[in-house]
């Protein structure tokens, strides 16, 4: 079994590792931690298309994109550590998004022949969240099972852990 974790660094995507770990216990399935990054030109086009405003771009976006890719690589590596702590044998993967983050996640899951996509429920804010969010898009378009760790369950679990620590 191969699980694709879509990790964007948000609290909900980080908590999704623990949620999946509880479900799979000590079976230690293979996992891939995917972080999708957006080239500066894609961000500018999306902002103009959906936000009605244009981001001025430098003539050469190579340096900015290299920095974004490096940050995505580091974020995916952090996700691998979280996956390992939750009991998964994982490897990091980072991809540039050419259209939509959710489409890239679904495409990568299909390319990896993954059995499950695991995502956090509320990682995005702003324009993208108002357009339906990544998790909603994945739920509508994925052809394989999707586990979404809802924000309210994450907060409740953190509260229980905090209460248990205070008592013990």
């Amino acid at each position: 079994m191969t699980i694709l974790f879509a990790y964007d660094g948000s609290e909900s995507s980080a908590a999704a590792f623990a949620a999946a770990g509880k479900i799979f216990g000590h079976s230690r399935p293979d996992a891939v931690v995917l972080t999708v990054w957006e080239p500066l030109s894609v961000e500018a086009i999306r902002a103009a298309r959906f936000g009605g405003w244009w981001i001025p771009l430098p003539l050469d976006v190579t340096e900015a994109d290299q920095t974004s890719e490096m940050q995505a690589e580091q974020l995916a590596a952090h996700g691998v550590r979280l996956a390992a702590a939750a009991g998964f044998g994982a490897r990091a993967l980072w991809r540039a998004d050419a259209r939509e983050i959710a489409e890239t996640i679904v495409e990568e899951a299909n390319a990896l022949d993954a059995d499950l996509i695991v995502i956090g429920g509320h990682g995005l804010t702003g324009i993208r969240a108002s357009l339906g969010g990544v998790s909603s898009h994945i739920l509508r378009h994925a052809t394989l099972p999707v586990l979404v760790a809802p924000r309210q369950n994450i907060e409740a679990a953190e509260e229980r852990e905090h209460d248990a620590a205070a008592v013990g």
Side-chain angles (χ1 to χ4, degrees):
M1 170 178 253
T2 301
I3 298 173
L4 176 77
F5 287 93
Y7 182 60
D8 65 1
S10 67
E11 287 181 28
S12 62
S13 70
F17 292 106
K22 288 180 183 179
I23 292 170
F24 291 98
H26 299 290
S27 63
R28 298 186 68 76
D30 290 329
V32 175
V33 177
L34 173 66
T35 298
V36 179
W37 63 278
E38 290 189 304
L40 190 56
S41 57
V42 172
E43 287 183 51
I45 291 167
R46 188 169 290 122
R49 186 171 157 204
F50 294 116
W53 44 274
W54 183 255
I55 298 173
L57 291 176
L59 292 177
D60 184 9
V61 296
T62 305
E63 186 175 327
D65 285 348
Q66 287 173 340
T67 299
S68 293
E69 183 176 12
M70 183 183 68
Q71 290 170 340
E73 180 182 4
Q74 292 170 348
L75 194 58
H78 181 258
V80 166
R81 291 190 294 277
L82 294 175
F88 298 94
R91 67 181 175 93
L93 182 64
W94 56 98
R95 291 288 184 254
D97 167 41
R99 294 174 307 279
E100 265 191 53
I101 291 172
E103 286 180 24
T104 302
I105 292 168
V106 171
E107 287 171 4
E108 287 298 324
N110 291 333
L112 292 165
D113 198 25
D115 299 294
L116 176 69
I117 298 173
V118 177
I119 53 178
H122 299 285
L124 297 177
T125 58
I127 293 171
R128 283 188 226 138
S130 66
L131 294 173
V134 171
S135 57
S136 295
H137 183 95
I138 291 171
L139 285 168
R140 287 191 312 271
H141 299 325
T143 58
L144 62 148
V146 179
L147 171 64
V148 180
R151 181 72 196 145
Q152 61 271 24
N153 289 353
I154 294 164
E155 290 170 350
E158 289 171 351
E159 259 181 46
R160 285 192 302 274
E161 288 174 13
H162 182 273
D163 292 345
V167 172

